[in-house]
Amino acid sequence: MPVPSRKLYFGLLAAGLQTTLFSSAAAAAEYQMANLHTNPSALLLRADINDTLLQIDGYFFVDDSDELIQGIKKAYDEGRALQGRSRGVLVIPGDEAELVRRLEDISDDANSVLAGGHFTLNTNSPKWHIIGGSEFRGSERFDYDEDDANRLRFATLLGLFSFGELQSAMEVSVVWSNYLGLNYRFKIDGLENTQFGISPKLQNISLIERSISISDYDEEKLFDAGRDVDQNLQLNADLGVSHRMDNWTLGLAIKDVYQQSMHSTIGTEYQQRSQISASVDYHASWAAFRFDADLTPQTGFGEIPSQRIYQAATAIPLSERVALLLDYRWSDNPYSDDAPGLGLHYNLGQLLHINAQFSYAGSNELGGSINLQLPL
């Protein structure tokens, strides 16, 4: 279960992708296909675009603010050294104190990883686009077994210590979603300023949950997708609606209409739920603004807590082709810190777009994202 000391940034860059997709020609009708991954209705129907366009993006964020990686490496090295001395009968009572201290120092420390990417390809019809994506959320926490202190003291009294006898372990949880689908957008007579969208998709959700003992610690084992994986392949869909009023655009999206309960290989339940989000956009000649909010929480799993993300962003034109991107994100998850973002947007006409963003909350809390759309 999540613990009060952790700071998780799940959703920071995923939300950042949707809030920094502005055109520096803010008053013009923007055409950025990446918006389809956050709201299936968000892309304008443009029959005048005949070019074949490809959009790709990628993002990552690593939060090791507790310095868990460094702490567990020191504990692991100390444990191996103590075991080596034990085999040479060089251990005396009290030699275990340093290892006990290191294990206690990292008790309930956690870190997290967020990574993923998406692509969009247009078709001969302005109403249809091919979409796909991969979204990875992972978290680990060190679960310190207090009885390990007594095990260590007893072992040094006997002068014989085996590192494998310790029960402290890394608890790892991962939700990894991959999908491939089609996006379809349409309007209804009498609602010319309102656009609807649906993205039916083939979705695969992988649940990874494992416990790695301190004696068996290896960074490559933490998020290894080759074992302890429960796969769930299913059909699903996202829905969206957008309404335009002069320079304003209101959006509402429902992600994953189909809901089901899944279980990891060790039996922990993951209840997939539809996530509803809303957005408000304002485009003017001098700047663009956007606000996004999760109306329902993102589902948690194991060490990954559920949470709602809120984000405000602006794009300030620096020239006809370059805009400065600023955003601020906060969460109702008590384990997360608020975080600002900074980036640049470059456009050449209405079809070629490049966004780059960097987030830095500390030496062990950083990430970045990039989005590219170009004619083929």
Side-chain angles (χ1 to χ4, degrees), residues 57 70-71 78 89 110 123 157 229 231 259 268 301 304 331 349:
D57 65 59
Q70 181 180 3
E78 180 65 27
V89 198
T123 67
L157 283 174
V229 181
Q231 305 277 359
Q259 307 176 60
T268 301
F301 168 68
I304 304 172
S331 170

Side-chain angles (χ1 to χ4, degrees), residues 101-131:
R101 182 187 68 80
R102 292 193 181 279
L103 294 176
E104 291 176 343
D105 285 346
I106 60 175
S107 176
D108 282 334
D109 283 356
N111 64 23
S112 60
V113 176
L114 172 71
H118 310 90
F119 81 89
T120 311
L121 183 68
N122 67 347
T123 67
N124 293 330
S125 171
K127 295 183 177 181
W128 292 92
H129 284 69
I130 301 170
I131 60 171

Side-chain angles (χ1 to χ4, degrees), residues 82-288:
L82 185 62
Q83 179 175 266
R85 295 197 302 272
S86 173
R87 290 174 178 174
V89 198
L90 299 175
V91 172
I92 61 175
D95 283 357
E96 80 287 349
E98 180 63 18
L99 178 55
V100 171
R101 182 187 68 80
R102 292 193 181 279
L103 294 176
E104 291 176 343
D105 285 346
I106 60 175
S107 176
D108 282 334
D109 283 356
N111 64 23
S112 60
V113 176
L114 172 71
H118 310 90
F119 81 89
T120 311
L121 183 68
N122 67 347
T123 67
N124 293 330
S125 171
K127 295 183 177 181
W128 292 92
H129 284 69
I130 301 170
I131 60 171
S134 179
E135 299 169 351
F136 179 98
R137 297 185 295 156
S139 180
E140 57 181 346
R141 177 181 61 88
F142 184 70
D143 183 19
Y144 171 57
D145 188 329
E146 295 182 354
D147 288 338
D148 279 349
N150 293 327
R151 294 186 183 98
L152 284 166
R153 295 186 184 100
F154 183 71
T156 54
L157 283 174
L158 296 178
L160 184 62
F161 166 65
S162 175
F163 199 16
E165 295 176 357
L166 301 186
Q167 300 300 308
S168 297
M170 295 287 286
E171 304 297 334
V172 180
S173 299
V174 172
V175 177
W176 188 6
S177 175
N178 297 278
Y179 65 90
L180 179 65
L182 291 172
N183 170 262
Y184 177 72
R185 300 172 321 287
F186 61 95
K187 292 185 177 181
I188 298 176
D189 292 342
L191 297 173
E192 294 302 319
N193 293 328
T194 303
Q195 185 167 288
F196 301 88
I198 180 171
S199 295
K201 58 188 178 181
L202 180 64
Q203 180 183 61
N204 183 71
I205 297 178
S206 301
L207 302 178
I208 302 175
E209 192 171 30
R210 61 178 61 114
S211 180
I212 302 175
S213 67
I214 177 67
S215 62
D216 198 33
Y217 174 76
D218 186 334
E219 285 187 34
E220 295 182 357
K221 295 180 180 179
L222 294 178
F223 301 126
D224 180 12
R227 63 188 184 93
D228 307 321
V229 181
D230 180 71
Q231 305 277 359
N232 298 272
L233 186 65
Q234 62 189 24
L235 293 175
N236 216 321
D238 302 336
L239 303 176
V241 58
S242 299
H243 181 71
R244 297 179 183 272
M245 302 178 297
D246 296 326
N247 292 340
W248 295 88
T249 302
L250 307 179
L252 184 70
I254 304 176
K255 181 179 181 180
D256 295 333
V257 175
Y258 175 70
Q259 307 176 60
Q260 72 163 327
S261 176
M262 314 171 195
H263 292 83
S264 70
T265 55
I266 63 175
T268 301
E269 182 182 24
Y270 172 66
Q271 179 59 60
Q272 183 187 26
R273 299 187 184 279
S274 299
Q275 185 186 355
I276 304 175
S277 60
S279 63
V280 179
D281 286 89
Y282 178 77
H283 289 261
S285 59
W286 52 276

Side-chain angles (χ1 to χ4, degrees), residues 285-297:
S285 59
W286 52 276
F289 302 92
R290 177 167 175 141
F291 177 75
D292 292 274
D294 289 338
L295 302 184
T296 58

Side-chain angles (χ1 to χ4, degrees), residues 14 17-21 31-40 42-43 54-57 118-121 129 131 179 290 353 355 370-373:
L17 286 171
Q18 73 185 56
T19 56
T20 56
L21 299 178
Y31 193 84
Q32 300 198 50
M33 298 192 302
N35 290 332
L36 292 177
H37 296 283
T38 56
N39 186 329
L43 186 65
L54 173 66
Q55 175 271 328
I56 54 175
D57 65 59
H118 310 90
F119 81 89
T120 311
L121 183 68
H129 284 69
I131 60 171
Y179 65 90
R290 177 167 175 141
H353 298 276
N355 291 344
I370 187 167
N371 174 65
L372 173 65
Q373 176 180 298

